[in-house]
Amino acid sequence: MPAPATRNGPLAAYVMLTLASLFWAGNFVMGRWSAEHVPPLALSCLRWIVASALLLPFALPHLRRDWPQIRAHLGLLLFLGSTGAGFFGSLAYLGLARTTALNALVLNSASPILIVLVCAAVFGDRIGLRQILGLLMAMAGVLAIVARGDPLLLTTLTLDTGDLLVLLAMLLWALYTAYLRLRPKLHWLSFAVTISLLAALVTLPLMAAEHLAGHALRATSQTAMAVLYTGIFPSVLSYILWTRGVEILGGVRAGPFMYLIPLFGAGLAVGLLGEPLRLFHLVGLLLIVAGVVTAAGGRPPSDSTDDARRPRPSP
């Protein structure tokens, strides 16, 4: 969701995409920490209710001005709010409740590749050699971390229901990232609160069904912490920063930054959950950073046409 006006230099986009990945990594840690306290579909809905409540007071003047554009593009906005926010989060939380952290991280690492493939398949973006090399380097770094330095560990992975849900969530995220170039020219606050409200709307029936199925939400301090963190950082700040970064760089060059999520997740696990730092963490760090810099540092052949299709920053 495009942030306030900034210089359109790549450095600003790199910082935005990095911070977005950091906050999303915290979402994984928070999700694991609160899994026994907050039902996954309730968390998916409540995070967007919190995000909407935070954004709405600031967005109201812009919503009034942008309402004709919102109404004219409501179908596209509903698609973006559902794929990149509501259903993506719901599937991710459901999947993480049913699979191992190792499997989830491996599947999450496929997200940048899916973004590149969707951009190429739907919009005809060309993938440069530099982007391919960067993707492979970053993927190697992610696998070094999730395999804990033992490549044979990857051969024990099996796909179950949770894995398929996480993989489907990653595909929805790739669609969201690719289709961001078509977003209407709205003020960034109008866009942000519209996506948040639509995400809350589409997930509200899911939360109600979950409650009726016997998974009741409990009013505890853990619930409050999980809802507030996910509602502020990954739901508001990450989406604003990610959307702005994609707007500047394009989906192909922004995709590799998703590899920073498992990297930051490992660091947060060390610092907050007390997990030990190993040599494979450092090796993975070097490979991921090198891959991101390689893939994002150059201008792929598709950028000239991609920029023509991508909307300009809102005032």
Side-chain angles (χ1 to χ4, degrees), residues 1-4 47-63 187-199 230-241:
M1 300 164 197
R47 64 184 285 195
W48 295 114
I49 292 176
V50 169
S52 300
L54 292 173
L55 291 168
L56 192 57
F58 303 100
L60 276 175
H62 307 291
L63 282 172
H187 187 276
W188 71 276
L189 278 170
S190 296
F191 187 76
V193 77
T194 299
I195 294 300
S196 297
L197 286 169
L198 290 173
T230 57
I232 295 171
F233 290 92
S235 301
V236 174
L237 297 180
S238 283
Y239 276 77
I240 290 172
L241 295 168

Side-chain angles (χ1 to χ4, degrees), residues 69-70 73 76-77 80 180 182-186 191 311 314:
Q69 282 289 318
I70 294 173
H73 297 88
L76 173 61
L77 292 169
L80 293 173
L180 276 177
L182 300 182
R183 72 170 186 84
K185 295 182 179 179
L186 306 176
F191 187 76
S314 299

Side-chain angles (χ1 to χ4, degrees), residues 6-32:
T6 61
R7 294 180 180 271
N8 283 355
L11 179 59
Y14 298 162
V15 173
M16 293 173 192
L17 295 170
T18 299
L19 288 176
S21 298
L22 173 61
F23 298 149
W24 276 322
N27 189 39
F28 275 88
V29 174
M30 179 60 72
R32 290 195 296 269

Side-chain angles (χ1 to χ4, degrees), residues 51-289:
S52 300
L54 292 173
L55 291 168
L56 192 57
F58 303 100
L60 276 175
H62 307 291
L63 282 172
R64 295 190 187 100
R65 185 194 68 182
D66 292 335
W67 175 243
Q69 282 289 318
I70 294 173
R71 183 172 55 186
H73 297 88
L74 189 57
L76 173 61
L77 292 169
L78 179 60
F79 174 79
L80 293 173
S82 300
T83 56
F87 295 150
F88 164 76
S90 298
L91 288 172
Y93 287 139
L94 284 171
L96 287 168
R98 291 167 170 79
T99 188
T100 65
L102 173 61
N103 284 28
L105 283 170
V106 170
L107 294 173
N108 182 73
S109 70
S111 182
I113 296 175
L114 291 174
I115 291 173
V116 171
L117 294 177
V118 170
C119 287
V122 177
F123 294 102
D125 292 350
R126 295 170 57 196
I127 305 173
L129 179 60
R130 183 165 185 160
Q131 280 66 51
I132 295 175
L133 178 60
L135 286 170
L136 293 175
M137 292 171 63
M139 173 66 85
V142 170
L143 294 179
I145 291 175
V146 299
R148 307 182 72 81
D150 182 6
L152 294 178
L153 189 60
L154 296 176
T155 64
T156 65
L157 293 177
T158 57
L159 287 177
D160 55 21
T161 302
D163 300 321
L164 294 175
L165 289 171
V166 172
L167 187 59
L168 182 57
M170 295 303 109
L171 178 58
L172 291 181
W173 180 255
L175 286 168
Y176 169 79
T177 299
Y179 275 89
L180 276 177
R181 71 187 72 189
L182 300 182
R183 72 170 186 84
K185 295 182 179 179
L186 306 176
H187 187 276
W188 71 276
L189 278 170
S190 296
F191 187 76
V193 77
T194 299
I195 294 300
S196 297
L197 286 169
L198 290 173
L201 180 64
V202 299
T203 54
L204 188 60
L206 301 179
M207 181 176 72
E210 182 181 59
H211 180 79
L212 293 175
H215 303 286
L217 186 69
R218 294 180 291 174
T220 65
S221 58
Q222 290 90 343
T223 297
M225 290 179 63
V227 171
L228 288 176
Y229 176 83
T230 57
I232 295 171
F233 290 92
S235 301
V236 174
L237 297 180
S238 283
Y239 276 77
I240 290 172
L241 295 168
W242 179 262
T243 303
R244 176 59 170 160
V246 172
E247 185 179 35
I248 295 173
L249 293 183
V252 171
R253 296 173 68 193
F257 280 84
M258 293 292 290
Y259 284 120
L260 295 176
I261 295 177
L263 171 64
F264 286 140
L268 291 172
V270 170
L272 300 179
L273 302 181
E275 296 184 1
L277 180 65
R278 306 292 189 187
L279 177 61
F280 60 78
H281 290 128
L282 300 178
V283 173
L285 166 63
L286 293 176
L287 287 170
I288 291 170
V289 171

